[in-house]
Amino acid sequence: MANVKLSGVWKYYSEEAAAVQDVKLSIDSGEFIVLVGPSGCGKSTTLRMIAGLESISKGEIEINGKVVNNVQPKDRDIAMVFQNYALYPHMTVEKNIGFALKISGMDKNEIKRRVLNTSSILGLDDLLRRKPGALSGGQRQRVALGRAIARDPAVYLFDEPLSNLDAKLRVTMRSELKALHRRLGTTTVYVTHDQEEAMTLGSRLVVMAGGKVQQIGTPLDVYNNPVNRFVASFVGSPTMNFIEGTIEGETFSPENSAVKIPLTAQIIDANALQSGQKLCLGIRPQSVTLAGDATPGIELDTTVELTEPMGDRVDLRLGLDESTQILARMPMNEVPANGASLRVKLPHEGMMFFEATEFGKRLGREPVAST
Amino acid sequence: MSTGSRVKPYLFLAPFLILFVVFTVVPLFQAVPLATHHTFGPDASTYVGFEKFAQAFSDARFWKALRNTLVFTAGSVFIQLPIALGLALMLNRKRVMGRGVFRLLFFSPQLVGLVFVAVLASVMFQKQKGLVNTAIAGGADMLRSIPLINANAWLPTTSELLNTPWLESLAMRTLIISALWMYAGFNMIYFLAALQNVPSELEEAAMIDGAGPVRRFFAVVLPSIRPVAVFVVLLSIIGSIQVFELAYIMLPEGVGMQDSGLTLVTYLFKNGFEIGDLGYATAIGWLIAVILSATAITQRLVNRQEAHA
Ligand SMILES: Nc1ncnc2c1ncn2[C@@H]1O[C@H](COP(=O)(O)OP(=O)(O)OP(=O)(O)O)[C@@H](O)[C@H]1O
Ligand SMILES: [Mg+2]
């Protein structure tokens, strides 16, 4: 087990653009850290720098207090699981799992013992004599895991290990991974572009975009207190509603729309909003409720434009007017008809305000110190 | 299905099939009786049974040709192919300046053709003025100028070096080197294509698993390109056993001095078209066919065995 520390890490593939910019991250021993972000944001590059497969352009990476910038991958005491498994195609499952042990010069019986132990943890006992070509995707994934586990490394590195599996298997493997981590307690750095996978697996998330770290925090922290509009939109499903507009006195006027959303002095105050300010109102679909209960909020008349019932809940696209729509996710026994009018409430608690740009800062919050 | 659509595919195949039958199948069947006849030119022939085959087995020149051909084949497989693989490995690395230029350079003999390369090589390997001997003599002179190593004592004289009989007595060596020049680049392209298909994660995984470069090559890369490697070896063997043009163009009389460069196909050619004994030439042809089939069958057996292992 080990801690991992990245101090101001940069990666340039070419001189003009940095794929990874100034990443600072301190991972405690035993943590399950998830790097999450859209495609091309630099997650894999960061992971590969920790693995030693990619050189570090600037900054330092430490594993267990030792700077590893110039240490070979094999001497970093890490194991990596690749997206396409990278199993050795001509070796049996048994040989695949034992390959690293064999290279390390371990005694034959000890290798056998470890391979069997690993295969029983992962339920691979019946497959040991097979070659990867004769395995299903899920089984290959398990073998790739086994190869990492058998070595008992200080750190596990995962690069989108579940993304080649079908949706159902992905969910199963997700909980297996979680259980495995609980059992082994090994420091883990996990890369995914799937925010749901990130939320369910990570003890902390590192949300990245454009090569930069946007926010580091526990899943709930990131969900409830996104530091900017990007994080707010990336984390959570369905995506948060954003309405751009202007503050006029105590009302919020969405752009190109006659609708006025009345705010309270308290909200104006709490979020440090200023009259005339252009900004972006954000509210999660799950926060929107039916009007009528006692929670403080703003009630609005809307028209139901689209319904997507899912049995236990329904997703509604609601029009405030022709140009402004919001999505609401509600528990509902009776699905309203298209075109019906519906009075809904935007609870004060669920409202967030951002500067009106893609990476616009969250307003009215002290920037959360992140390490 | 209408009759028309059943016949159509064969209509499209017809041009090939007709040529194939006329120039390959018919001669093949004619070759069966031909090998059992003694001929003087195309017209006069008498039936002699299996005498022509017996003749081959007791013919010292046939054995010499067989030995030379096997030496040439071994040179292709054990010298040329490893060099081709080495070149491919070099060009497959991420940061090689001018990769395309090198690829073209190694491949260029294929573009100008065998005859051109053979003529050029025969000029280079000539006595006295040939580039090879001149270069060797020059290198020897440089060694001689170094004090203390006393090069004169163990080096042949300059005139001996300039007269190294590459084309005359060292014919097999010369042919192997020339074939290397001709075909190494071609085989390299096969290897390079195979290497580029090896997923980089595979090597990376092995790197993390602690395997050094040599181990990675033998444990991961080589097994991954094995199907292509087997194919290249087989092609190389089959091509080498049929070696003819290179020797025929380069060597004096097409065989070198005292048959030093006589190959099976050259011997077949000489018997058939210079001496006019078509029966003996055909019998040699059949023996070559047997060797080739045996090679292909062995390769299949080995492959099948390994697939089961
Ligand atoms: N070997 C390379 N050479 C040049 N640029 C690269 C290289 N590898 C990655 N990049 C660039 O660096 C950026 C980050 O790539 P990276 O692979 O880290 O993204 P990622 O977050 O893992 O995305 P994905 O989810 O698609 O895997 C991208 O813009 C990519 O084009
Ligand atoms: Mg990636």
Side-chain angles (χ1 to χ4, degrees), chain A residues 48 74 87-88 90 100 103 151, chain B residues 202 204 206 208-210 219 223:
Chain A
R48 289 166 60 82
K74 66 185 169 72
L87 299 179
Y88 309 123
H90 54 282
I103 289 177
R151 292 182 44 197
Chain B
L202 224 50
E204 288 174 349
I208 289 177
D209 275 347

Side-chain angles (χ1 to χ4, degrees), chain B residues 88-103:
Chain B
L89 283 170
M90 262 162 51
L91 290 192
N92 190 42
R93 280 196 309 215
K94 269 188 200 156
R95 280 181 270 275
V96 182
M97 297 237 294
R99 183 147 88 172
V101 176
F102 279 114
R103 229 170 356 201

Side-chain angles (χ1 to χ4, degrees), chain B residues 210-289:
Chain B
V214 176
R215 185 110 189 202
R216 284 205 295 277
F217 176 73
F218 285 105
V220 176
V221 178
L222 198 55
S224 300
I225 64 167
R226 192 172 167 278
V228 172
V230 168
F231 174 71
V232 172
V233 168
L234 187 68
L235 270 194
S236 196
I237 292 176
I238 291 174
S240 300
I241 288 175
Q242 301 181 46
V243 60
F244 168 63
E245 300 93 324
L246 204 57
Y248 192 74
I249 295 169
M250 285 181 69
L251 306 179
E253 309 291 318
V255 297
M257 259 162 61
Q258 281 142 11
D259 287 345
S260 75
L262 179 69
T263 72
L264 279 178
V265 178
T266 315
Y267 195 43
L268 179 159
F269 180 86
K270 292 219 161 245
N271 275 299
F273 300 103
E274 288 180 9
I275 298 170
D277 188 350
L278 284 174
Y280 192 32
T282 313
I284 295 174
W286 277 112
L287 292 173
I288 295 175

